[in-house]
Amino acid sequence: MLPLTSGLGDRRRGGWLGVALALLACTGTAWAEDGYALWMRYVPVDATSAGGYRAHAQEIVAPDRTATQRVAREELERGLAGLLGVMPRLRTTLGDGGAFVLGTPQSSPWVAPFRRDLQALGDQGYLLRSARIGERDVIVVAARDDVGVLYGVFHLLRLMQTGASLDRLEVRESPAIARRVLNHWDNLDGYVERGYAGGSLWDWHTLPDWQDPRYIDYARANASLGINGSVLNNVNANALSLSPDYLRKAATLADVFRPYGIRVYLSARFSAPIEIGGLATADPLDPDVQRWWRKKADEIYALIPDFGGFLVKANSEGQPGPQDYGRSHADGANLLADALAPHGGVVMWRAFVYAHDVPEDRAKQAYNEFVGLDGALRRNVLLQVKNGPIDFQPREPFHPLFGAMPRTPLMMEFQITKEYLGFATHLVYLGPLYEEVLHADTQARGPDSTVATVIDGSLDGHALSGIAGVANIGDDRTWSGSHFDQANWYAFGRLAWNPRQSARDIAADWVAMTFSRDPDVVTPVVDMMMASREAAVDYMTPLGLHHVMARGHHYGPGPWVDGGPRADWTSVYYHRADRDGIGFDRTSHGSDAVSQYAPAVAREFDDVDRVPESLLLWFHHVPWEHRMASGRPLWDELVHRYTHGVRSVETMQATWDRLQGRVDAERHRHVAAFLRIQRNEAQWWRDASVAYFQSLNGRALPAGETPPAHPLAYYESLQFPFAPGDGR
Amino acid sequence: MLPLTSGLGDRRRGGWLGVALALLACTGTAWAEDGYALWMRYVPVDATSAGGYRAHAQEIVAPDRTATQRVAREELERGLAGLLGVMPRLRTTLGDGGAFVLGTPQSSPWVAPFRRDLQALGDQGYLLRSARIGERDVIVVAARDDVGVLYGVFHLLRLMQTGASLDRLEVRESPAIARRVLNHWDNLDGYVERGYAGGSLWDWHTLPDWQDPRYIDYARANASLGINGSVLNNVNANALSLSPDYLRKAATLADVFRPYGIRVYLSARFSAPIEIGGLATADPLDPDVQRWWRKKADEIYALIPDFGGFLVKANSEGQPGPQDYGRSHADGANLLADALAPHGGVVMWRAFVYAHDVPEDRAKQAYNEFVGLDGALRRNVLLQVKNGPIDFQPREPFHPLFGAMPRTPLMMEFQITKEYLGFATHLVYLGPLYEEVLHADTQARGPDSTVATVIDGSLDGHALSGIAGVANIGDDRTWSGSHFDQANWYAFGRLAWNPRQSARDIAADWVAMTFSRDPDVVTPVVDMMMASREAAVDYMTPLGLHHVMARGHHYGPGPWVDGGPRADWTSVYYHRADRDGIGFDRTSHGSDAVSQYAPAVAREFDDVDRVPESLLLWFHHVPWEHRMASGRPLWDELVHRYTHGVRSVETMQATWDRLQGRVDAERHRHVAAFLRIQRNEAQWWRDASVAYFQSLNGRALPAGETPPAHPLAYYESLQFPFAPGDGR
């Protein structure tokens, strides 16, 4: 900042050319559309809109007693300076111009009259309203608590960023879900499991002494969406994250995040009492173990008074857990819940477990393990359930536990990072995936028992509710590894606040804030985003196929994957293709996984004529000749879908090419390069999959279909020992 | 860029306030003094200087036929826009105003008259001269080749950045050393061994399709210093870096770097013929192995026509090498040299080797291994020798191989990354360390046979010469992990160009370009930098102590380190302290390492009364009562030095605190936080070392010295399993 402002006088003499050049210089050195600003770019709005907004923007009347009040006010200042080029007067009392009035009934006398409206909105909810106070037209940003005001400021800025009118403003917002949390799978050495955006954002080595300003921008971005929790470390946890040194580091992050309404949580390793506590056991019924966890919770809360709680992956993929001692998951979860309860903390116990012995159908395991524990968990335990019964596939049916445990608050676990969806180089907007799951009807209490109503607690009357997204955030300059992956962080946050929102509307907001308000940009980009998830399904796992990625790192196709330590880590286990047919028979004649769903749903999935074609091979093993809705036999349809996926990416490329000149060159080039990668990898997926399945069924390609570029052996030979994000 | 320029019309109506706010907004979103711009910030100069410079800056007359010509011209434009707020007319012929005239005798008729001057400067040299051409005052940037012009442009910009006059300009520069190379210890999975600046800059996963703009800024920074080579991958090499896939990726980086005069090199794993070639042996005398390397070299040069060559770490720390087959290092180096020779490539063969069996003195090993091979290496082999005989310690005597192999071009290997010097959080300017080594007199051919004259080839008449720095560059926003570590990259580059430059002058340039031209900033910051290396020596390894860091990661003190796989990986091997004395006896009565130096040097080091006190314990084992120049006994002096190191850091803190307001707040805060870490860790070093040595000698602390804060057992108990940069 110093050189820019100190140079201003000089520029003035240089006239407007000098200013333009100074701006160019700014471009040349450090200003760049490099994605760092996310959807908070606050670039100038057009003159017409600006005129309307400026009338309100003469003053900001806001309290500044608390840290949250200050960051709310500063965010509004930052936004107005960028959007409108104005710096309103800051006041603690109303002047005579148009004003933004911020506050709670406690912090502002001008907000106090709205007390009744605010009651209805609850904690963290907010009200945006144009009003007249005395002779003055004002816009009120009001809430019951400071964080609600901060959320309201971000909403107000979003309205201006997207060109909405502020006339006759009347917005009432409340979060549908109480705990809106990011899960960072970040190791203490800075590696991010399933991370495609560089290393961990947390520089554990320099914490607590150095607080990277990036931590603040992370908090701002989350607060702009209403995300209010952050699990700092990997669910495959290291016990040392609970050691005093690392708790001090975590406490510093909590201090940075607190003004933004974000609580810190930690993944807890179940065997920590042994590894860092010196005990001989981690048995949840052992009094020493119980005492150790109580003392550990006391220690944590002494450092982090608003600590959120523990996330636990236990007895899953080699992690220790209560079953190591013959105890149940409920015993394990309740052990930690009892330690946290006196301080108000919660346990988020993951349902992603599967037995060491390979069962007949892994899709059934979580349900079988947990459904009987309904009612056995403490009141401060959330059961965190992945969106589908396998593992973050491009498409899965909703998890059968949703709706099946009415006495237990179920927390959604979405994956924002694209482990199975092309990493950061594939443009796949996950809004439609999230929306599809949230809108799915469990029929648990009859029609309209959507997954959203399960996780927001409304279906079964739970006050405690939660939703988690496995973060796609790292120290890459774009935060998310690509420009478009920012949209997935964004969409997760917006849907966590309100699971009933439309993925398309969210995309439209994001594009307007991130790229351009120009409808000639917004419309095609939103269309492209909305089609992108189905494109990925088509070129990777059409018609209900799943888990056919390469082994371990999941980079690229691997339908031939077989052998290895366990059958349910192979592809052939899942697609079950042979000369005659393909698909996993989960019907009542097969593994009967369908029976885990409510009867109305189960009947639909069980019936080969009623099951959605998009889930056909998930639930049914069908012959290659099976006639599809298109009239094509299954084999032809499958090949058609693969090819269609590739064509869809080409359409995305064409759309993007047409936007050259309407999107800044820097990001245009970046996205175009990634789309080229995606196009080539889509072709690779299509060709490898077709070659493989053709090697099983010996069928000719449908007319007009191009043969794979290489023989199957070529695709099978490809090795990627350094593919990013692999588990360690 | 788009939003800024498109918003200009709007800002114009808003008047100057609008502009100021727009600049603020720019600050608020993406412009930031975050260190990314390095020493190429190009912020406006003061009005007086600008007036003088602008007279010349009306036109740029420069060719633009080659990529290097274009980047030279663009860099000058970028610099002038930032420094002066002007955008000179670009012309291909002289106009009527002041002008910068760029070119070579071939590319520019105005440069052709300087042909004779340029002959004397040689390749990559350049001439900056104010001249009159016809009626016009011009500044000529002339060279024999395009890269020389680019270097000249950076020199010209440096003059303006540091406020030098351009009147009566007459600068002639030629590089003293031919190969000025960075060694990146970057693994293919993105991890950087001994890296404290985040992950690797090279995103191997998205190469070759995506070329991160950061690669260009890396090349600009290196070209600004004259660095002309980059070894992309770790000397602990993976053979896959020579596989076709990774060669294509490397070729893309070479394409990006080529306009900036930077060649790509690769670390070659000696056993690659087995690992990726399918051969049964890597024996250098095996015809199949020789054929494999020749074909590999052909393959590389087909992709990278100006490929620089191979860097090899062989038979060292577990790496494979020719000795695995009973062959010599010369056999190994010549194998690769013969493969590269037809293409003009070189081999940089590292002398950092030590036997699997622990010898009586590791300091002697490289010399013993290589001195007999003088004359046995091909003409395109450089022997790359670390600055000292152990391993990048805070202070070592110069390596005894310098001056001892007159028939072999010896290449210097400095470490820029601070493996043993406090990682990125300690402010330690390495200019004085480099200078000390380069100026050290080997006496190989009598007085003034400095190390610099050995490595620049002048002492023994070698045309091939080289210098390498182990890079401190990663994907951290600061590039180097801290703001001040950028100065070490900078100083390495400047000294590689001219090893006779003064570390202080280089620091002054760097501070002026990086922080401020204000003498009230430059003077104290340079003083602080110049004192910083001695401070680190004092609080870590005073009086010639060495290799007493913690095991493996080398983070923090570990003088007690003992046991483990080999004695020469312990601290006690090196300090040899006991009840009576301390130090490694390398005199003629001890290991006789002194005899590896030229007689005049050996006599000085051998004599306890003549050896510099700074190397006392490197060469001598002396009793604790040994009387030092200060009059104090050794033990008192040792404690005094430790304490003095801590005090020196406190002085640095005080200096920096006084600069608040004169340095931008963002970087001031960052540096201040790191200085706090350094101060605390200096105290830790002092206390742990004093406690440990006191436990051996049982001596009282000198009067006035504060006892360590904790008992020795506390320091010994500290564990840092996630310290960054550890070898894998």
Side-chain angles (χ1 to χ4, degrees):
Chain A
M1 187 157 118
L2 195 66
L4 275 174
T5 50
S6 70
L8 260 183
D10 209 44
R11 278 201 203 87
R12 190 176 305 213
R13 282 190 289 282
W16 274 102
L17 177 66
V19 174
L21 286 168
L23 288 167
L24 275 174
C26 176
T27 306
T29 51
W31 167 278
E33 285 285 11
D34 59 9
Y36 182 79
L38 293 163
W39 46 87
M40 304 178 294
R41 287 162 61 251
Y42 302 142
V43 295
V45 301
D46 64 88
T48 316
S49 308
Y53 298 150
R54 281 209 196 95
H56 302 288
Q58 297 175 40
E59 297 178 356
I60 297 176
V61 182
D64 73 341
R65 295 233 183 88
T66 71
T68 300
Q69 289 169 1
R70 277 189 289 275
V71 301
R73 204 183 70 177
E74 285 162 10
E75 192 68 33
L76 185 56
E77 289 171 352
R78 183 186 290 116
L80 295 174
L83 291 163
L84 309 182
V86 300
M87 190 66 87
R89 286 184 296 278
L90 291 173
R91 307 189 66 128
T92 48
T93 181
L94 262 182
D96 50 11
F100 294 109
V101 174
L102 277 53
T104 66
Q106 291 72 42
S107 70
S108 167
W110 297 279
V111 171
F114 299 97
R115 192 182 302 267
R116 187 181 303 243
D117 299 79
L118 297 175
Q119 288 303 336
L121 297 175
D123 289 345
Q124 304 180 15
Y126 55 85
L127 173 71
L128 307 183
R129 184 186 283 177
S130 43
R132 269 186 86 77
I133 300 183
E135 298 298 303
R136 289 166 297 271
D137 284 319
V138 301
I139 290 189
V140 176
V141 181
R144 290 213 311 189
D145 44 28
D146 287 341
V147 170
V149 176
L150 176 64
Y151 291 165
V153 163
F154 276 113
H155 192 130
L156 180 66
L157 288 169
R158 166 153 50 94
L159 293 175
M160 289 186 267
Q161 288 172 281
T162 55
S165 167
L166 298 188
D167 299 335
R168 289 187 294 279
L169 191 63
E170 174 77 32
V171 172
R172 292 162 187 271
E173 283 282 343
S174 307
I177 300 173
R179 307 259 174 168
R180 306 174 298 277
V181 178
L182 290 180
N183 289 184
H184 291 272
W185 288 358
D186 292 16
N187 293 346
L188 297 181
D189 67 355
Y191 182 80
V192 182
E193 185 168 334
R194 310 307 175 184
Y196 313 104
S200 175
L201 210 55
W202 324 132
D203 186 358
W204 293 113
H205 183 67
T206 58
L207 282 167
D209 301 280
W210 168 235
Q211 291 128 45
D212 192 323
R214 198 159 175 154
Y215 303 152
I216 293 175
D217 289 325
Y218 164 86
R220 288 176 54 229
N222 282 327
S224 79
L225 305 172
I227 290 172
N228 66 1
S230 178
V231 185
L232 301 178
N233 61 318
N234 193 350
V235 289
N236 293 320
N238 190 306
L240 287 176
S241 63
L242 300 177
S243 69
D245 279 354
Y246 279 89
L247 289 177
R248 270 191 294 275
K249 296 168 190 278
T252 298
L253 289 175
D255 291 341
V256 173
F257 299 163
R258 190 168 294 111
Y260 300 89
I262 297 164
R263 289 178 183 216
V264 153
Y265 297 72
L266 290 172
S267 291
R269 186 163 160 93
F270 199 78
S271 51
I274 300 171
E275 290 156 3
I276 62 168
L279 301 187
T281 179
D283 183 345
L285 302 193
D286 183 284
D288 286 340
V289 172
Q290 294 167 352
R291 195 173 307 116
W292 188 87
W293 281 109
R294 280 200 304 273
K295 285 189 60 176
K296 183 53 70 180
D298 294 345
E299 179 190 352
I300 293 172
Y301 279 91
L303 289 164
I304 311 173
D306 56 353
F307 180 68
F310 293 135
L311 172 63
V312 187
K313 175 177 180 177
N315 290 121
S316 171
E317 299 184 322
Q319 293 296 314
Q323 294 179 336
D324 301 347
Y325 306 95
R327 315 301 184 188
S328 75
H329 280 284
D331 293 329
N334 292 342
L335 163 75
L336 301 178
D338 288 342
L340 294 167
H343 308 284
V346 301
V347 171
M348 303 175 294
W349 193 267
R350 288 176 99 230
F352 179 67
V353 304
Y354 51 93
H356 188 69
D357 303 320
V358 179
E360 101 281 31
D361 184 0
R362 199 181 99 187
K364 293 169 65 178
Q365 284 192 264
Y367 179 99
N368 289 342
E369 189 75 54
F370 282 98
V371 76
L373 299 179
D374 195 26
L377 298 165
R378 296 284 189 272
R379 291 170 55 89
N380 59 334
V381 175
L382 289 142
L383 190 65
Q384 183 167 310
V385 182
K386 290 188 180 182
N387 60 278
I390 296 293
D391 192 13
F392 300 136
Q393 296 301 297
R395 171 168 280 123
E396 302 192 31
F398 68 86
H399 200 295
L401 277 173
F402 293 117
M405 295 183 70
R407 297 167 68 194
T408 307
L410 298 192
M411 185 166 181
M412 172 64 73
E413 179 173 327
F414 281 130
Q415 196 177 43
I416 310 174
T417 189
K418 304 206 310 301
E419 174 181 357
Y420 294 100
L421 279 143
F423 297 5
T425 41
H426 291 213
L427 195 169
V428 183
Y429 173 52
L430 298 177
L433 188 159
Y434 302 155
E435 185 178 51
E436 177 177 297
V437 174
L438 292 166
H439 292 190
D441 195 346
T442 69
Q443 303 255 17
R445 292 177 182 263
D448 297 324
S449 304
T450 63
V451 171
T453 65
V454 174
I455 63 161
D456 72 12
S458 62
L459 188 69
D460 300 307
H462 295 293
L464 182 58
S465 58
I467 182 167
V470 180
N472 66 349
I473 301 166
D475 64 7
D476 186 81
R477 188 67 181 165
T478 64
W479 297 88
S480 299
S482 78
H483 295 291
F484 273 91
D485 273 302
Q486 298 179 352
N488 293 326
W489 178 7
Y490 184 84
F492 167 78
R494 292 288 299 275
L495 287 166
W497 179 270
N498 177 4
R500 287 163 189 79
Q501 284 180 105
S502 129
R504 176 177 288 275
D505 291 347
I506 293 170
D509 280 349
W510 179 79
V511 174
M513 292 191 280
T514 304
F515 282 112
S516 169
R517 276 179 293 269
D518 180 352
D520 290 344
V521 174
V522 174
T523 304
V525 174
V526 169
D527 286 346
M528 179 173 85
M529 291 168 71
M530 290 304 292
S532 63
R533 185 268 189 134
E534 208 62 38
V537 170
D538 277 348
Y539 63 71
M540 288 180 177
T541 55
L543 301 176
L545 285 176
H546 50 285
H547 210 297
V548 290
M549 291 74 183
R551 195 193 293 273
H553 51 63
H554 303 146
Y555 173 61
W560 48 78
V561 169
D562 198 357
R566 47 186 301 159
D568 56 355
W569 286 357
T570 70
S571 299
V572 298
Y573 174 91
Y574 291 102
H575 64 64
R576 311 218 162 180
D578 60 16
R579 202 170 62 88
D580 302 319
I582 182 171
F584 197 132
D585 185 357
R586 293 189 168 110
T587 68
S588 48
H589 306 291
S591 79
D592 202 26
V594 293
S595 69
Q596 294 182 335
Y597 292 94
V601 176
R603 279 192 298 274
E604 183 186 334
F605 289 163
D606 199 35
D607 184 343
V608 73
D609 293 325
R610 290 180 60 209
V611 68
E613 280 197 350
S614 62
L615 292 173
L616 176 66
L617 304 180
W618 186 285
F619 285 114
H620 295 267
H621 186 86
V622 287
W624 294 109
E625 303 81 18
H626 178 81
R627 189 64 53 180
M628 303 294 289
S630 63
R632 283 187 281 260
L634 169 62
W635 168 240
D636 291 20
E637 180 71 19
L638 190 70
V639 178
H640 168 75
R641 293 290 177 107
Y642 281 123
T643 304
H644 187 260
V646 182
R647 293 293 99 80
S648 300
V649 179
E650 290 167 350
T651 302
M652 290 160 64
Q653 287 185 288
T655 299
W656 191 251
D657 286 348
R658 281 193 297 274
L659 293 172
Q660 193 159 19
R662 290 179 180 270
V663 167
D664 55 282
E666 188 169 359
R667 287 186 294 174
H668 193 275
R669 196 162 47 236
H670 194 169
V671 172
F674 276 26
L675 283 172
R676 277 195 299 278
I677 294 174
Q678 183 176 11
R679 158 69 188 66
N680 293 339
E681 294 188 357
Q683 185 74 51
W684 168 33
W685 263 99
R686 181 263 184 200
D687 286 357
S689 303
V690 168
Y692 171 72
F693 290 122
Q694 205 176 16
S695 78
L696 299 180
N697 66 19
R699 286 166 186 263
L701 281 180
E705 289 286 352
T706 312
H710 302 276
L712 176 60
Y714 166 82
Y715 298 108
E716 290 180 339
S717 76
L718 297 176
Q719 298 289 327
F720 302 94
F722 306 110
D726 202 359
R728 283 184 178 172
Chain B
M1 186 157 119
L2 195 69
L4 275 174
T5 50
S6 70
L8 259 185
D10 207 48
R11 277 200 202 89
R12 190 176 305 211
R13 282 190 289 282
W16 274 102
L17 177 64
V19 173
L21 287 168
L23 288 168
L24 275 174
C26 176
T27 306
T29 51
W31 169 277
E33 285 286 10
D34 57 10
Y36 182 79
L38 292 164
W39 46 86
M40 304 177 294
R41 286 160 62 250
Y42 303 141
V43 295
V45 301
D46 63 89
T48 316
S49 309
Y53 297 149
R54 280 207 198 96
H56 302 287
Q58 297 175 41
E59 298 178 356
I60 296 176
V61 182
D64 72 341
R65 295 231 183 89
T66 70
T68 301
Q69 289 169 2
R70 277 188 289 277
V71 300
R73 205 183 70 179
E74 285 162 12
E75 192 70 32
L76 185 56
E77 289 171 356
R78 183 187 288 115
L80 295 174
L83 290 164
L84 310 181
V86 298
M87 189 68 85
R89 287 184 296 278
L90 292 174
R91 308 189 67 128
T92 49
T93 182
L94 262 182
D96 49 11
F100 294 108
V101 175
L102 278 52
T104 66
Q106 291 72 42
S107 71
S108 168
W110 298 280
V111 170
F114 299 97
R115 191 182 302 265
R116 187 180 304 242
D117 299 79
L118 297 173
Q119 288 303 336
L121 297 176
D123 289 346
Q124 304 180 13
Y126 55 85
L127 172 70
L128 307 183
R129 185 186 283 176
S130 43
R132 269 186 88 76
I133 300 183
E135 297 298 303
R136 291 166 296 271
D137 284 318
V138 301
I139 290 187
V140 176
V141 181
R144 291 213 311 187
D145 46 25
D146 287 341
V147 169
V149 177
L150 177 63
Y151 291 165
V153 163
F154 276 113
H155 192 133
L156 180 66
L157 289 169
R158 167 155 46 96
L159 293 176
M160 288 187 267
Q161 288 173 281
T162 55
S165 167
L166 300 187
D167 299 336
R168 290 187 292 281
L169 191 63
E170 174 76 32
V171 172
R172 291 160 188 274
E173 282 282 342
S174 306
I177 300 173
R179 308 260 173 168
R180 306 174 297 278
V181 178
L182 291 180
N183 290 183
H184 291 271
W185 288 358
D186 292 17
N187 294 345
L188 298 181
D189 67 356
Y191 181 80
V192 182
E193 185 168 334
R194 310 308 176 184
Y196 314 104
S200 175
L201 209 56
W202 324 131
D203 186 357
W204 293 112
H205 184 66
T206 59
L207 281 168
D209 302 280
W210 168 235
Q211 291 127 45
D212 192 323
R214 197 158 176 155
Y215 303 152
I216 294 175
D217 288 326
Y218 165 85
R220 288 175 54 227
N222 282 329
S224 79
L225 305 171
I227 290 171
N228 66 0
S230 178
V231 185
L232 301 178
N233 61 318
N234 193 348
V235 289
N236 293 321
N238 190 305
L240 287 175
S241 64
L242 299 177
S243 68
D245 279 355
Y246 279 89
L247 289 178
R248 270 191 294 274
K249 295 168 190 276
T252 298
L253 289 175
D255 291 341
V256 174
F257 299 163
R258 190 168 294 111
Y260 300 90
I262 297 164
R263 289 177 183 217
V264 153
Y265 298 72
L266 290 172
S267 292
R269 186 162 161 93
F270 198 79
S271 51
I274 301 171
E275 290 156 3
I276 62 168
L279 301 187
T281 178
D283 182 346
L285 301 193
D286 183 284
D288 287 339
V289 171
Q290 294 167 354
R291 196 173 307 116
W292 188 88
W293 281 109
R294 279 199 304 273
K295 284 188 61 177
K296 183 53 71 181
D298 295 344
E299 180 190 353
I300 293 172
Y301 280 90
L303 290 164
I304 311 173
D306 56 353
F307 179 67
F310 293 136
L311 172 63
V312 187
K313 174 177 180 176
N315 291 122
S316 172
E317 300 184 320
Q319 292 296 313
Q323 294 180 335
D324 301 348
Y325 306 95
R327 316 301 183 188
S328 74
H329 280 282
D331 294 329
N334 293 342
L335 163 74
L336 301 178
D338 288 342
L340 295 167
H343 308 285
V346 301
V347 171
M348 303 174 294
W349 193 268
R350 290 176 97 229
F352 179 67
V353 303
Y354 50 92
H356 188 69
D357 303 320
V358 179
E360 104 279 32
D361 184 359
R362 199 180 101 186
K364 294 169 64 179
Q365 285 191 263
Y367 179 99
N368 288 342
E369 189 74 53
F370 282 96
V371 76
L373 299 179
D374 194 27
L377 299 165
R378 296 283 189 273
R379 292 169 55 87
N380 60 333
V381 176
L382 290 143
L383 190 66
Q384 184 167 309
V385 182
K386 291 188 181 182
N387 60 277
I390 295 294
D391 191 13
F392 301 135
Q393 295 302 297
R395 171 169 279 123
E396 302 192 31
F398 68 87
H399 200 294
L401 277 173
F402 292 117
M405 296 182 70
R407 299 167 66 193
T408 307
L410 298 191
M411 186 166 179
M412 172 64 73
E413 179 174 327
F414 281 130
Q415 196 177 45
I416 311 174
T417 188
K418 304 207 308 300
E419 173 181 357
Y420 294 98
L421 280 142
F423 296 7
T425 42
H426 291 213
L427 195 169
V428 183
Y429 174 53
L430 298 177
L433 187 160
Y434 301 154
E435 186 178 51
E436 177 176 298
V437 175
L438 293 166
H439 293 189
D441 195 345
T442 69
Q443 304 254 16
R445 293 178 182 261
D448 297 325
S449 305
T450 63
V451 171
T453 65
V454 174
I455 63 158
D456 71 13
S458 62
L459 189 68
D460 300 307
H462 295 293
L464 181 59
S465 58
I467 182 167
V470 180
N472 66 349
I473 301 166
D475 65 6
D476 186 80
R477 188 65 181 166
T478 64
W479 297 86
S480 299
S482 78
H483 294 291
F484 273 91
D485 274 302
Q486 298 179 350
N488 294 325
W489 178 7
Y490 185 84
F492 167 77
R494 292 287 302 273
L495 287 166
W497 179 271
N498 177 5
R500 287 163 189 80
Q501 284 179 104
S502 128
R504 175 178 288 275
D505 291 347
I506 293 170
D509 280 350
W510 179 80
V511 174
M513 292 190 280
T514 304
F515 281 111
S516 169
R517 274 179 294 269
D518 181 351
D520 290 345
V521 174
V522 174
T523 304
V525 174
V526 169
D527 287 346
M528 177 172 87
M529 290 168 71
M530 290 303 294
S532 63
R533 184 269 188 134
E534 209 61 40
V537 169
D538 277 346
Y539 63 72
M540 288 181 177
T541 55
L543 301 176
L545 286 176
H546 50 287
H547 210 297
V548 290
M549 291 74 185
R551 194 193 295 272
H553 51 61
H554 304 147
Y555 174 60
W560 47 80
V561 169
D562 198 356
R566 46 186 300 159
D568 56 355
W569 286 357
T570 71
S571 299
V572 299
Y573 173 90
Y574 291 102
H575 65 64
R576 311 215 164 185
D578 59 18
R579 201 170 61 88
D580 303 317
I582 182 171
F584 198 131
D585 185 357
R586 294 189 168 110
T587 68
S588 47
H589 307 289
S591 79
D592 201 26
V594 293
S595 69
Q596 295 182 333
Y597 292 92
V601 176
R603 279 192 298 273
E604 183 186 334
F605 289 163
D606 198 37
D607 184 343
V608 74
D609 293 324
R610 290 181 61 208
V611 68
E613 280 197 350
S614 61
L615 293 174
L616 177 66
L617 304 180
W618 186 285
F619 286 113
H620 295 267
H621 185 85
V622 287
W624 294 109
E625 303 81 19
H626 178 81
R627 188 66 51 181
M628 304 294 289
S630 64
R632 284 187 280 260
L634 170 61
W635 167 241
D636 291 22
E637 181 71 18
L638 190 70
V639 177
H640 168 75
R641 292 289 178 108
Y642 281 123
T643 305
H644 187 258
V646 182
R647 293 292 99 78
S648 299
V649 180
E650 290 167 350
T651 302
M652 289 160 63
Q653 288 186 289
T655 299
W656 191 252
D657 285 349
R658 280 195 296 275
L659 293 171
Q660 193 159 21
R662 291 181 180 269
V663 166
D664 56 282
E666 188 170 359
R667 288 185 294 174
H668 193 276
R669 194 163 49 236
H670 194 168
V671 172
F674 276 27
L675 283 171
R676 278 195 299 278
I677 293 173
Q678 182 176 10
R679 198 271 155 223
N680 292 340
E681 294 188 357
Q683 186 76 51
W684 168 33
W685 263 99
R686 182 263 184 200
D687 285 356
S689 302
V690 168
Y692 171 73
F693 290 122
Q694 205 175 18
S695 78
L696 299 180
N697 67 19
R699 285 165 187 264
L701 281 180
E705 290 286 353
T706 313
H710 302 277
L712 176 60
Y714 166 81
Y715 299 108
E716 290 180 339
S717 75
L718 297 176
Q719 298 289 326
F720 302 94
F722 306 109
D726 202 359
R728 281 185 178 171

